[in-house]
mmCIF file of all heavy atoms in Angstrom:
data_model
loop_
_atom_site.group_PDB
_atom_site.id
_atom_site.type_symbol
_atom_site.label_atom_id
_atom_site.label_comp_id
_atom_site.label_asym_id
_atom_site.label_seq_id
_atom_site.Cartn_x
_atom_site.Cartn_y
_atom_site.Cartn_z
ATOM 1 N N SER K 1 0.831 -1.205 0.000
ATOM 2 C CA SER K 1 0.000 0.000 0.000
ATOM 3 C C SER K 1 0.868 1.260 0.000
ATOM 4 O O SER K 1 0.496 2.270 -0.608
ATOM 5 C CB SER K 1 -0.927 -0.005 1.216
ATOM 6 O OG SER K 1 -0.188 -0.049 2.424
ATOM 7 N N ALA K 2 2.024 1.198 0.645
ATOM 8 C CA ALA K 2 2.931 2.351 0.653
ATOM 9 C C ALA K 2 3.451 2.641 -0.761
ATOM 10 O O ALA K 2 3.626 3.810 -1.134
ATOM 11 C CB ALA K 2 4.090 2.099 1.607
ATOM 12 N N ASP K 3 3.679 1.585 -1.524
ATOM 13 C CA ASP K 3 4.119 1.773 -2.915
ATOM 14 C C ASP K 3 3.023 2.450 -3.728
ATOM 15 O O ASP K 3 3.302 3.328 -4.561
ATOM 16 C CB ASP K 3 4.467 0.423 -3.552
ATOM 17 C CG ASP K 3 5.690 -0.226 -2.922
ATOM 18 O OD1 ASP K 3 6.657 0.489 -2.643
ATOM 19 O OD2 ASP K 3 5.653 -1.452 -2.714
ATOM 20 N N LEU K 4 1.760 2.071 -3.488
ATOM 21 C CA LEU K 4 0.650 2.695 -4.208
ATOM 22 C C LEU K 4 0.510 4.167 -3.810
ATOM 23 O O LEU K 4 0.276 5.027 -4.658
ATOM 24 C CB LEU K 4 -0.654 1.945 -3.937
ATOM 25 C CG LEU K 4 -1.905 2.513 -4.618
ATOM 26 C CD1 LEU K 4 -1.719 2.612 -6.130
ATOM 27 C CD2 LEU K 4 -3.127 1.671 -4.296
ATOM 28 N N ASP K 5 0.684 4.448 -2.518
ATOM 29 C CA ASP K 5 0.635 5.841 -2.062
ATOM 30 C C ASP K 5 1.636 6.694 -2.837
ATOM 31 O O ASP K 5 1.315 7.779 -3.330
ATOM 32 C CB ASP K 5 0.954 5.938 -0.571
ATOM 33 C CG ASP K 5 -0.120 5.327 0.312
ATOM 34 O OD1 ASP K 5 -1.235 5.094 -0.185
ATOM 35 O OD2 ASP K 5 0.164 5.098 1.497
ATOM 36 N N ALA K 6 2.861 6.197 -2.924
ATOM 37 C CA ALA K 6 3.919 6.936 -3.613
ATOM 38 C C ALA K 6 3.584 7.132 -5.087
ATOM 39 O O ALA K 6 3.839 8.206 -5.661
ATOM 40 C CB ALA K 6 5.250 6.201 -3.458
ATOM 41 N N HIS K 7 2.999 6.101 -5.702
ATOM 42 C CA HIS K 7 2.653 6.199 -7.122
ATOM 43 C C HIS K 7 1.542 7.215 -7.356
ATOM 44 O O HIS K 7 1.606 8.026 -8.286
ATOM 45 C CB HIS K 7 2.229 4.826 -7.653
ATOM 46 C CG HIS K 7 2.084 4.781 -9.141
ATOM 47 N ND1 HIS K 7 1.395 3.783 -9.786
ATOM 48 C CD2 HIS K 7 2.512 5.616 -10.111
ATOM 49 C CE1 HIS K 7 1.415 4.010 -11.096
ATOM 50 N NE2 HIS K 7 2.088 5.118 -11.314
ATOM 51 N N LEU K 8 0.522 7.191 -6.490
ATOM 52 C CA LEU K 8 -0.586 8.131 -6.645
ATOM 53 C C LEU K 8 -0.137 9.581 -6.457
ATOM 54 O O LEU K 8 -0.713 10.502 -7.037
ATOM 55 C CB LEU K 8 -1.699 7.806 -5.644
ATOM 56 C CG LEU K 8 -2.473 6.509 -5.902
ATOM 57 C CD1 LEU K 8 -3.422 6.217 -4.745
ATOM 58 C CD2 LEU K 8 -3.252 6.590 -7.210
ATOM 59 N N LYS K 9 0.897 9.769 -5.660
ATOM 60 C CA LYS K 9 1.366 11.127 -5.365
ATOM 61 C C LYS K 9 2.377 11.650 -6.376
ATOM 62 O O LYS K 9 2.676 12.847 -6.381
ATOM 63 C CB LYS K 9 1.977 11.172 -3.963
ATOM 64 C CG LYS K 9 0.966 10.917 -2.852
ATOM 65 C CD LYS K 9 1.640 10.815 -1.490
ATOM 66 C CE LYS K 9 0.645 10.435 -0.408
ATOM 67 N NZ LYS K 9 1.277 10.300 0.913
ATOM 68 N N ASN K 10 2.899 10.773 -7.247
ATOM 69 C CA ASN K 10 3.921 11.241 -8.186
ATOM 70 C C ASN K 10 3.280 11.836 -9.452
ATOM 71 O O ASN K 10 2.074 12.018 -9.539
ATOM 72 C CB ASN K 10 4.935 10.129 -8.499
ATOM 73 C CG ASN K 10 4.382 9.013 -9.384
ATOM 74 O OD1 ASN K 10 3.377 9.168 -10.073
ATOM 75 N ND2 ASN K 10 5.065 7.874 -9.380
ATOM 76 N N ALA K 11 4.099 12.108 -10.432
ATOM 77 C CA ALA K 11 3.637 12.812 -11.645
ATOM 78 C C ALA K 11 2.644 12.001 -12.474
ATOM 79 O O ALA K 11 1.956 12.575 -13.334
ATOM 80 C CB ALA K 11 4.842 13.194 -12.500
ATOM 81 N N ASP K 12 2.530 10.694 -12.232
ATOM 82 C CA ASP K 12 1.567 9.889 -12.984
ATOM 83 C C ASP K 12 0.117 10.265 -12.644
ATOM 84 O O ASP K 12 -0.786 10.067 -13.459
ATOM 85 C CB ASP K 12 1.771 8.404 -12.701
ATOM 86 C CG ASP K 12 2.958 7.826 -13.454
ATOM 87 O OD1 ASP K 12 3.333 8.400 -14.490
ATOM 88 O OD2 ASP K 12 3.509 6.805 -12.993
ATOM 89 N N PHE K 13 -0.087 10.785 -11.417
ATOM 90 C CA PHE K 13 -1.450 11.106 -10.996
ATOM 91 C C PHE K 13 -1.549 12.506 -10.374
ATOM 92 O O PHE K 13 -1.782 13.465 -11.074
ATOM 93 C CB PHE K 13 -1.976 10.027 -10.032
ATOM 94 C CG PHE K 13 -2.238 8.705 -10.697
ATOM 95 C CD1 PHE K 13 -1.318 7.673 -10.605
ATOM 96 C CD2 PHE K 13 -3.395 8.491 -11.442
ATOM 97 C CE1 PHE K 13 -1.552 6.452 -11.235
ATOM 98 C CE2 PHE K 13 -3.635 7.282 -12.079
ATOM 99 C CZ PHE K 13 -2.710 6.259 -11.973
ATOM 100 N N PHE K 14 -1.374 12.632 -9.054
ATOM 101 C CA PHE K 14 -1.687 13.889 -8.373
ATOM 102 C C PHE K 14 -0.565 14.926 -8.356
ATOM 103 O O PHE K 14 -0.813 16.090 -8.064
ATOM 104 C CB PHE K 14 -2.135 13.609 -6.935
ATOM 105 C CG PHE K 14 -3.513 13.013 -6.843
ATOM 106 C CD1 PHE K 14 -3.677 11.673 -6.547
ATOM 107 C CD2 PHE K 14 -4.641 13.791 -7.060
ATOM 108 C CE1 PHE K 14 -4.956 11.120 -6.455
ATOM 109 C CE2 PHE K 14 -5.915 13.246 -6.983
ATOM 110 C CZ PHE K 14 -6.074 11.903 -6.676
ATOM 111 N N GLU K 15 0.663 14.523 -8.616
ATOM 112 C CA GLU K 15 1.787 15.475 -8.635
ATOM 113 C C GLU K 15 1.808 16.344 -7.375
ATOM 114 O O GLU K 15 1.729 17.571 -7.437
ATOM 115 C CB GLU K 15 1.711 16.394 -9.856
ATOM 116 C CG GLU K 15 1.917 15.719 -11.187
ATOM 117 C CD GLU K 15 1.950 16.730 -12.325
ATOM 118 O OE1 GLU K 15 3.033 17.270 -12.614
ATOM 119 O OE2 GLU K 15 0.880 16.981 -12.911
ATOM 120 N N VAL K 16 1.932 15.705 -6.202
ATOM 121 C CA VAL K 16 1.823 16.462 -4.956
ATOM 122 C C VAL K 16 2.927 17.499 -4.775
ATOM 123 O O VAL K 16 2.730 18.477 -4.050
ATOM 124 C CB VAL K 16 1.794 15.518 -3.732
ATOM 125 C CG1 VAL K 16 0.538 14.656 -3.742
ATOM 126 C CG2 VAL K 16 3.047 14.661 -3.670
ATOM 127 N N ASP K 17 4.071 17.311 -5.421
ATOM 128 C CA ASP K 17 5.121 18.327 -5.332
ATOM 129 C C ASP K 17 4.644 19.660 -5.910
ATOM 130 O O ASP K 17 5.043 20.727 -5.446
ATOM 131 C CB ASP K 17 6.380 17.866 -6.073
ATOM 132 C CG ASP K 17 7.100 16.746 -5.353
ATOM 133 O OD1 ASP K 17 6.815 16.552 -4.149
ATOM 134 O OD2 ASP K 17 7.926 16.058 -5.974
ATOM 135 N N LYS K 18 3.795 19.579 -6.921
ATOM 136 C CA LYS K 18 3.278 20.774 -7.584
ATOM 137 C C LYS K 18 1.890 21.163 -7.082
ATOM 138 O O LYS K 18 1.559 22.353 -6.996
ATOM 139 C CB LYS K 18 3.230 20.525 -9.092
ATOM 140 C CG LYS K 18 2.898 21.751 -9.927
ATOM 141 C CD LYS K 18 2.993 21.423 -11.412
ATOM 142 C CE LYS K 18 2.689 22.651 -12.280
ATOM 143 N NZ LYS K 18 2.774 22.313 -13.730
ATOM 144 N N TYR K 19 1.082 20.143 -6.736
ATOM 145 C CA TYR K 19 -0.292 20.384 -6.292
ATOM 146 C C TYR K 19 -0.534 19.638 -4.969
ATOM 147 O O TYR K 19 -1.156 18.579 -4.952
ATOM 148 C CB TYR K 19 -1.300 19.890 -7.333
ATOM 149 C CG TYR K 19 -1.080 20.428 -8.725
ATOM 150 C CD1 TYR K 19 -0.488 19.638 -9.718
ATOM 151 C CD2 TYR K 19 -1.468 21.720 -9.057
ATOM 152 C CE1 TYR K 19 -0.299 20.127 -11.000
ATOM 153 C CE2 TYR K 19 -1.289 22.217 -10.343
ATOM 154 C CZ TYR K 19 -0.694 21.412 -11.303
ATOM 155 O OH TYR K 19 -0.510 21.899 -12.576
ATOM 156 N N PRO K 20 -0.061 20.180 -3.856
ATOM 157 C CA PRO K 20 -0.159 19.466 -2.580
ATOM 158 C C PRO K 20 -1.562 19.407 -1.991
ATOM 159 O O PRO K 20 -1.831 18.576 -1.121
ATOM 160 C CB PRO K 20 0.769 20.260 -1.664
ATOM 161 C CG PRO K 20 0.789 21.638 -2.245
ATOM 162 C CD PRO K 20 0.693 21.443 -3.727
ATOM 163 N N THR K 21 -2.446 20.272 -2.462
ATOM 164 C CA THR K 21 -3.799 20.282 -1.915
ATOM 165 C C THR K 21 -4.843 20.304 -3.034
ATOM 166 O O THR K 21 -4.565 20.688 -4.160
ATOM 167 C CB THR K 21 -4.042 21.514 -1.012
ATOM 168 O OG1 THR K 21 -3.878 22.713 -1.780
ATOM 169 C CG2 THR K 21 -3.087 21.518 0.171
ATOM 170 N N ALA K 22 -6.044 19.884 -2.662
ATOM 171 C CA ALA K 22 -7.226 20.027 -3.507
ATOM 172 C C ALA K 22 -8.220 20.871 -2.725
ATOM 173 O O ALA K 22 -8.029 21.120 -1.528
ATOM 174 C CB ALA K 22 -7.812 18.665 -3.847
ATOM 175 N N LYS K 23 -9.291 21.315 -3.380
ATOM 176 C CA LYS K 23 -10.243 22.197 -2.708
ATOM 177 C C LYS K 23 -11.667 21.864 -3.126
ATOM 178 O O LYS K 23 -11.920 21.512 -4.280
ATOM 179 C CB LYS K 23 -9.930 23.654 -3.052
ATOM 180 C CG LYS K 23 -10.839 24.670 -2.348
ATOM 181 C CD LYS K 23 -10.599 26.083 -2.847
ATOM 182 C CE LYS K 23 -9.245 26.603 -2.445
ATOM 183 N NZ LYS K 23 -9.084 28.046 -2.836
ATOM 184 N N PHE K 24 -12.586 21.972 -2.148
ATOM 185 C CA PHE K 24 -14.008 21.842 -2.447
ATOM 186 C C PHE K 24 -14.730 23.032 -1.841
ATOM 187 O O PHE K 24 -14.631 23.279 -0.634
ATOM 188 C CB PHE K 24 -14.585 20.544 -1.875
ATOM 189 C CG PHE K 24 -16.051 20.361 -2.175
ATOM 190 C CD1 PHE K 24 -16.466 19.979 -3.444
ATOM 191 C CD2 PHE K 24 -17.011 20.570 -1.198
ATOM 192 C CE1 PHE K 24 -17.812 19.825 -3.737
ATOM 193 C CE2 PHE K 24 -18.359 20.414 -1.479
ATOM 194 C CZ PHE K 24 -18.760 20.039 -2.750
ATOM 195 N N GLU K 25 -15.458 23.785 -2.676
ATOM 196 C CA GLU K 25 -16.188 24.961 -2.229
ATOM 197 C C GLU K 25 -17.655 24.826 -2.621
ATOM 198 O O GLU K 25 -17.974 24.644 -3.803
ATOM 199 C CB GLU K 25 -15.604 26.225 -2.856
ATOM 200 C CG GLU K 25 -14.163 26.501 -2.451
ATOM 201 C CD GLU K 25 -13.595 27.705 -3.174
ATOM 202 O OE1 GLU K 25 -13.367 27.600 -4.403
ATOM 203 O OE2 GLU K 25 -13.384 28.741 -2.519
ATOM 204 N N ILE K 26 -18.538 24.906 -1.641
ATOM 205 C CA ILE K 26 -19.971 24.748 -1.889
ATOM 206 C C ILE K 26 -20.505 25.911 -2.722
ATOM 207 O O ILE K 26 -20.206 27.073 -2.446
ATOM 208 C CB ILE K 26 -20.738 24.632 -0.561
ATOM 209 C CG1 ILE K 26 -20.372 23.310 0.141
ATOM 210 C CG2 ILE K 26 -22.253 24.693 -0.795
ATOM 211 C CD1 ILE K 26 -20.999 23.146 1.516
ATOM 212 N N THR K 27 -21.278 25.576 -3.736
ATOM 213 C CA THR K 27 -21.902 26.599 -4.586
ATOM 214 C C THR K 27 -23.420 26.657 -4.408
ATOM 215 O O THR K 27 -24.038 27.688 -4.657
ATOM 216 C CB THR K 27 -21.584 26.342 -6.073
ATOM 217 O OG1 THR K 27 -22.057 25.023 -6.438
ATOM 218 C CG2 THR K 27 -20.083 26.426 -6.325
ATOM 219 N N LYS K 28 -24.012 25.541 -3.972
ATOM 220 C CA LYS K 28 -25.458 25.511 -3.812
ATOM 221 C C LYS K 28 -25.866 24.308 -2.962
ATOM 222 O O LYS K 28 -25.261 23.242 -3.061
ATOM 223 C CB LYS K 28 -26.140 25.410 -5.190
ATOM 224 C CG LYS K 28 -27.664 25.424 -5.152
ATOM 225 C CD LYS K 28 -28.234 25.312 -6.580
ATOM 226 C CE LYS K 28 -29.746 25.318 -6.586
ATOM 227 N NZ LYS K 28 -30.301 25.179 -7.963
ATOM 228 N N VAL K 29 -26.875 24.511 -2.124
ATOM 229 C CA VAL K 29 -27.484 23.413 -1.369
ATOM 230 C C VAL K 29 -28.993 23.521 -1.570
ATOM 231 O O VAL K 29 -29.614 24.524 -1.210
ATOM 232 C CB VAL K 29 -27.135 23.481 0.129
ATOM 233 C CG1 VAL K 29 -27.826 22.339 0.880
ATOM 234 C CG2 VAL K 29 -25.625 23.406 0.337
ATOM 235 N N ALA K 30 -29.587 22.487 -2.171
ATOM 236 C CA ALA K 30 -31.019 22.494 -2.478
ATOM 237 C C ALA K 30 -31.703 21.317 -1.800
ATOM 238 O O ALA K 30 -31.093 20.263 -1.588
ATOM 239 C CB ALA K 30 -31.236 22.422 -3.988
ATOM 240 N N ALA K 31 -32.967 21.487 -1.468
ATOM 241 C CA ALA K 31 -33.733 20.407 -0.851
ATOM 242 C C ALA K 31 -33.816 19.210 -1.794
ATOM 243 O O ALA K 31 -33.932 19.372 -3.017
ATOM 244 C CB ALA K 31 -35.136 20.897 -0.493
ATOM 245 N N PHE K 32 -33.730 18.020 -1.244
ATOM 246 C CA PHE K 32 -33.838 16.780 -2.011
ATOM 247 C C PHE K 32 -35.279 16.604 -2.460
ATOM 248 O O PHE K 32 -36.206 16.616 -1.656
ATOM 249 C CB PHE K 32 -33.399 15.609 -1.131
ATOM 250 C CG PHE K 32 -33.273 14.290 -1.844
ATOM 251 C CD1 PHE K 32 -32.091 13.929 -2.464
ATOM 252 C CD2 PHE K 32 -34.343 13.404 -1.884
ATOM 253 C CE1 PHE K 32 -31.964 12.705 -3.113
ATOM 254 C CE2 PHE K 32 -34.229 12.188 -2.532
ATOM 255 C CZ PHE K 32 -33.039 11.838 -3.142
ATOM 256 N N ASP K 33 -35.476 16.457 -3.757
ATOM 257 C CA ASP K 33 -36.814 16.310 -4.340
ATOM 258 C C ASP K 33 -37.048 14.835 -4.666
ATOM 259 O O ASP K 33 -36.510 14.310 -5.640
ATOM 260 C CB ASP K 33 -36.916 17.167 -5.605
ATOM 261 C CG ASP K 33 -38.310 17.169 -6.216
ATOM 262 O OD1 ASP K 33 -39.144 16.324 -5.820
ATOM 263 O OD2 ASP K 33 -38.572 18.010 -7.096
#
């Protein structure tokens, strides 16, 4: 699993050296219909 962690964080996927964080910002909350 540690090997997979390293792979996901390298340039093949998330590139954490360049993009260490992601962000989620709420734009709308509506009642469930």
